[in-house]
């Protein structure tokens, strides 16, 4: 599996350098959000706003009102917790074309509670006019910029950084659910970094005779409920969601709402952070501790199937797609 070094850095330079109306805003995390080379090469399109995110969001709203297209870069948690009032009143309510690029989604950082955006989807999908996107591999990181910039209103994007595995050969498509694997027994729905874990798990489950249909979601709001329900109707046992987020208000909740609205009474198992904050530690450790890894998915599939399949951790490690340690320190602050 190919690992791509800093795909966002290259993609942003390629996209923004050809569009002088696109402005790069940074909140004192320029290199951490991989826009330092853009700053050096195109200083006329770069604005450093310092550690003042509330001001930065209001400033971006003003730029958008004047016809610029501001792309805000900082860690995801700093885009919606402290400056939520500015996001709602200055950006979402007037429907400004501001692109909020949120790095270190969920437990991809060892920074602990203050740096882990584990509730961003739950909070922001409740805000009118907001569009929510999430990248799951290098190809999606490379191709999400024009998708986000085409939205007529504010967009929040969960962005992966550092060394990112390439899982897909086709670009990010707005409000389109990827079918990663066809199957007839269990439906698995993932987003972001959990898709790699699911790809490991589905290979092992198929080897044991359980047929798995795997969907990868890149657009969380709006959500293509019709597409999801069509896939759900194709399996016999039920659906499992796996997300890098709390199980309250995120991907699993979205699926539950869609199923309830459609009157579909099928088993749904939601995997994610279960009403808990996370420790500061490496991504692989945290995914195992909080049940966001391939083994947690295997156990959930076994519960739906009503049988133990005897899959071991060694079998799952044998199909690991991403190195545990990244030479670019993707898990560092």
């Amino acid at each position: 599996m190919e690992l791509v070094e800093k795909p966002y850095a290259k993609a942003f330079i390629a996209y923004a350098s050809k569009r002088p109306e696109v402005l790069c805003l940074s909140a004192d995390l320029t290199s951490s959000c991989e826009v330092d080379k853009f700053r050096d090469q195109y200083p006329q399109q770069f604005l450093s706003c310092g550690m003042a995110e509330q001001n930065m969001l209001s400033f971006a709203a003003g730029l958008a009102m004047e016809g610029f297209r501001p792309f805000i870069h900082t860690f995801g948690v700093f885009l919606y917790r402290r400056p939520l009032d500015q996001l709602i009143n200055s950006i979402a309510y007037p429907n400004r074309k501001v692109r909020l690029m949120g790095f270190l989604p969920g437990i991809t950082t060892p920074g602990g509670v203050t740096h882990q955006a584990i509730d961003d989807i739950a909070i922001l999908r409740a805000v009118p006019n907001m569009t929510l996107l999430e990248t799951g591999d290098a190809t999606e990181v490379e191709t999400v910029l024009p998708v986000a910039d085409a939205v007529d209103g504010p967009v929040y994007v969960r962005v992966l950084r550092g060394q990112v595995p390439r899982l897909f050969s086709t670009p990010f498509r707005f409000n389109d659910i990827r079918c990663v694997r066809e199957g007839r027994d269990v439906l698995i729905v993932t987003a972001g970094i959990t898709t790699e874990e699911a790809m490991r798990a589905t290979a092992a489950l198929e080897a044991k005779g359980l047929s798995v249909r795997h969907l990868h979601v890149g657009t969380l709001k709006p959500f293509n409920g019709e597409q999801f329900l069509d896939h759900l109707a194709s399996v016999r046992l039920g659906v499992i969601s796996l997300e890098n987020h709390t199980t309250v208000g995120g991907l699993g909740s979205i699926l539950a709402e869609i199923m309830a609205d459609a009157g579909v009474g099928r088993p749904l198992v939601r995997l994610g952070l279960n009403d808990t904050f996370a420790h500061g530690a490496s991504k692989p450790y945290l995914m195992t501790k909080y049940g966001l890894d391939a083994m947690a998915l295997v156990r959930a599939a076994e519960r739906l199937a009503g049988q133990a399949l005897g899959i071991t951790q060694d079998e799952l490690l044998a199909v690991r797609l991403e190195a545990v340690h990244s030479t670019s320190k993707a898990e560092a602050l």
Side-chain angles (χ1 to χ4, degrees):
M1 180 60 61
E2 178 189 5
L3 288 176
V4 182
E5 189 82 17
K6 297 184 178 181
Y8 186 82
K10 304 181 187 76
F12 190 77
I13 290 174
Y15 186 78
S17 63
K18 299 180 179 67
R19 298 167 174 83
E21 71 280 8
V22 170
L23 300 180
C24 177
L25 277 63
S26 172
D28 205 33
L29 289 167
T30 305
S31 61
S32 297
C33 295
E34 301 183 350
V35 288
D36 47 333
K37 288 186 177 179
F38 181 84
R39 172 201 61 196
D40 297 341
Q41 295 177 31
Y42 302 94
Q44 72 278 9
Q45 290 176 253
F46 178 83
L47 296 160
S48 178
C49 299
M51 286 191 291
E53 293 86 0
Q54 292 153 310
N55 179 66
M56 179 171 64
L57 265 66
S58 293
F59 180 44
L63 291 171
M65 186 168 61
E66 293 301 314
F68 294 101
R69 298 211 300 281
F71 280 70
I72 299 177
H73 296 82
T74 188
F75 296 166
V77 73
F78 301 143
L79 286 172
Y80 71 96
R81 283 189 183 167
R82 189 174 297 113
L84 183 60
D85 181 75
Q86 286 76 17
L87 191 156
I88 290 175
N89 291 304
S90 298
I91 295 176
Y93 173 56
N95 202 37
R96 302 294 181 209
K97 294 182 181 180
V98 176
R99 289 68 174 98
L100 301 105
M101 312 307 290
F103 290 74
L104 298 185
I107 57 172
T108 57
T109 169
V113 173
T114 58
H115 285 65
Q116 291 165 338
I118 62 168
D119 51 0
D120 49 347
I121 302 303
I123 292 171
L124 293 178
R125 78 182 184 96
V127 177
N129 293 333
M130 287 296 301
T131 292
L132 308 181
L133 309 177
E134 180 166 12
T135 57
D137 86 319
T139 300
E140 292 195 337
V141 172
E142 292 166 344
T143 58
V144 74
L145 288 167
V147 176
D149 205 21
V151 174
D152 186 18
V155 184
Y156 174 79
V157 186
R158 281 181 142 204
V159 186
L160 301 178
R161 68 172 192 177
Q163 279 190 343
V164 183
R166 189 180 301 285
L167 307 179
F168 308 120
S169 59
T170 55
F172 196 112
R173 292 180 59 187
F174 183 74
N175 204 20
D176 182 64
I177 299 175
R178 292 183 188 267
C179 185
V180 181
R181 181 187 287 266
E182 299 274 359
R184 63 186 182 279
D185 292 332
V186 175
L187 177 62
I188 294 174
V189 186
T190 60
I193 62 170
T194 62
T195 292
E196 180 194 343
E197 294 296 312
M199 292 171 78
R200 294 168 55 210
T202 53
L205 291 167
E206 290 276 359
K208 296 292 184 177
L210 191 67
S211 179
V212 177
R213 182 176 293 253
H214 178 200
L215 306 180
H216 167 79
V217 177
T219 305
L220 292 158
K221 184 188 175 186
F223 194 93
N224 196 325
E226 182 178 347
Q227 205 174 0
F228 161 66
L229 290 172
D230 286 344
H231 284 287
L232 179 57
S234 300
V235 300
R236 63 184 185 88
L237 296 177
V239 57
I240 305 168
S241 63
L242 178 63
E243 59 190 304
N244 177 29
H245 186 275
T246 173
T247 54
V248 177
L251 176 62
S253 293
I254 294 171
L255 302 185
E257 291 164 12
I258 292 169
M259 292 167 68
D261 287 345
V264 176
R266 304 291 300 279
L268 167 63
V269 180
R270 295 181 296 158
L271 300 179
L273 290 165
N274 188 13
D275 195 26
T276 183
F277 292 105
H279 296 308
S282 71
K283 184 179 74 174
Y285 172 84
L286 292 173
M287 294 187 79
T288 298
K289 178 176 176 59
Y290 294 105
L292 278 68
D293 64 348
M295 184 55 77
L297 197 49
V298 166
R299 297 292 176 250
E302 289 177 332
R303 291 199 300 274
L304 276 184
Q307 61 177 316
L309 300 174
I311 296 172
T312 66
Q313 191 67 255
D314 288 341
E315 290 177 85
L316 296 175
L317 289 173
V319 291
R320 175 170 288 279
L321 305 179
E322 179 186 11
V324 173
H325 298 290
S326 168
T327 57
S328 61
K329 299 182 179 179
E331 296 163 357
L333 297 178

